[in-house]
Every structure is written in C-alpha cells, then in structure tokens.
Amino acid sequence: LKAKSKDKYSDFELSYKVDALFDKLNNELSNKLYQKSSVEKIDNFKEEIIQIKNAIESKQVMSCFYNKKQRDEIYPLKILNLEGYWYLIIFDVNEQKLKTFHLNTIKDIKLLDKHYDYDEETIKSFDNALTAYFIPNSKTILVELFIDSQIARYFARKPLNKTQRTTKTYDDGSIDIELMITNIMEIV
C-alpha cells in the first residue's frame, strides 16, 4: 500500500494520507506513553470472527459448538464488545430466542446453505447494551444516578449508553443522570 501510494499513478494526497496512517499504526504498535485498553484479545479466535462477520454480512445461518453443546441452527446477528469482552448475539432457531454467546467459546463454525431475515430494529437495539445482561424488546427500566463532582466529567466524556442524559447539574459540578436499561444487572 505504501509503495503503491508513491508510484507515478497515485495522487500526492494519497501518499500523504497513507504515510499518516502508517505513522499512526506504528505509534500504536510501539506505544510507550499510555496504557492500552483492557479489551479481550482476539488472537485465539480471529478465524471464528472472520467466519461470523461474513455470516452476519450475508445473513447466513450457521451452526457451531458452544458451551459443550452443538447448536444446529443459529442466526448470527451482531458482534459486540461489552465491558472489554467479545460477544456474539444470536437467534437460536430451536429455542426461538435471542442469546448472547461469549465469542472465544464458539468452536466448529459451519456456514449453512440457508439465509435468514431478522428484525433490524431488534438488532440495532443492542447498540444500547451496557453488558451481556441486556434484553432486547423488553420493558425498559429508568435508572437515575447521582454522580459526584469528582467523577462527573467521565460520565460526560463517555456516556454509559446512548440513552444517558444529564437531568441536573449542581453548583459543585455534581450531576444527576438518567438512562434506560433492560435488566437491573446492567447497572449493578
């Protein structure tokens, strides 16, 4: 990519952008200034993620081995990182329900010769998930939290989910926030 961006057919801006991208990647790889996030590493299940991603994009039904049990027909709906761990949201055809599978436990993936159709709004609702306890299409619970002034800026900087909003700001910088959850364990 770097060599191609510098050949006589490439435009100057492309070369500049590619150089900037490679500098950024090199800085990240040789990071000595700040701690990297505590996101579960995917090195041990990269191939599974690629298979699952392809199945999601093509809406292809798959089977797999999960939690010491063969899953014959599941719809892979969405890959999520929740609290630093990777999960696959699936619809289990046999049990007719949504489930959350920890990604590094999924083995023996086979893409079946079937395609599925699933409610896009339900899939999109997982964007509001705080944890693997999220329950789509369930009655939401309004949670109100008092946030001390010493940590209020962190909640403003990175909301817990898309539904979070500040309802009151106090003189000392403390705030009240509210957000919607679907399971009390999400807030615990």
Side-chain angles (χ1 to χ4, degrees):
L1 179 62
K2 205 165 188 177
K4 180 69 178 149
S5 73
K6 296 185 185 323
D7 73 14
K8 65 181 181 180
Y9 300 106
S10 296
D11 129 18
F12 174 75
E13 283 184 38
L14 178 63
S15 175
Y16 175 76
K17 290 177 182 176
V18 168
D19 286 344
L21 176 64
F22 272 84
D23 286 346
K24 185 176 180 180
L25 290 171
N26 283 331
N27 284 341
E28 185 63 30
L29 289 172
S30 64
N31 170 30
K32 294 178 181 101
L33 300 176
Y34 56 91
Q35 181 178 356
K36 291 184 170 108
S37 65
S38 61
V39 174
E40 179 181 30
K41 295 190 183 324
I42 63 168
D43 299 343
N44 296 336
F45 49 97
K46 276 185 199 173
E47 288 181 31
E48 286 86 354
I49 288 179
I50 291 168
Q51 283 182 292
I52 292 167
K53 179 183 164 289
N54 291 337
I56 291 170
E57 287 174 350
S58 63
K59 295 188 176 212
Q60 196 166 358
V61 179
M62 64 181 238
S63 68
C64 67
F65 192 77
Y66 179 76
N67 240 5
K68 300 178 182 176
K69 185 176 176 186
Q70 179 63 37
R71 313 298 172 135
D72 292 322
E73 199 170 326
I74 61 172
Y75 301 172
L77 302 175
K78 192 168 188 91
I79 296 173
L80 292 175
N81 188 284
L82 300 170
E83 299 181 302
Y85 295 96
W86 291 102
Y87 294 94
L88 173 63
I89 308 305
I90 65 109
F91 177 75
D92 187 319
V93 175
N94 293 331
E95 295 183 30
Q96 288 293 300
K97 69 187 228 184
L98 287 167
K99 294 183 176 182
T100 305
F101 286 1
H102 188 213
L103 252 179
N104 80 352
T105 313
I106 300 171
K107 303 293 180 223
D108 299 326
I109 296 170
K110 291 179 182 62
L111 301 184
L112 306 178
D113 228 3
K114 297 179 184 179
H115 288 80
Y116 66 86
D117 188 35
Y118 200 81
D119 178 44
E120 291 298 321
E121 285 302 310
T122 300
I123 296 169
K124 192 174 180 179
S125 74
F126 279 95
D127 292 344
N128 290 328
L130 294 177
T131 70
Y133 291 105
F134 179 81
I135 305 167
N137 301 327
S138 69
K139 184 177 177 188
T140 56
I141 304 165
L142 176 66
V143 176
E144 298 176 52
L145 300 172
F146 170 77
I147 311 297
D148 188 84
S149 63
Q150 293 181 340
I151 60 169
R153 69 176 177 259
Y154 301 113
F155 287 81
R157 187 182 303 157
K158 188 175 187 286
L160 292 173
N161 72 14
K162 291 179 181 181
T163 67
Q164 177 182 313
R165 70 183 191 97
T166 301
T167 56
K168 185 173 183 177
T169 303
Y170 297 92
D171 292 338
D172 70 350
S174 300
I175 57 174
D176 286 341
I177 64 169
E178 69 178 22
L179 65 145
M180 304 301 285
I181 62 170
T182 61
N183 182 323
I184 198 66
M185 288 304 292
E186 286 182 273
I187 208 66
V188 171

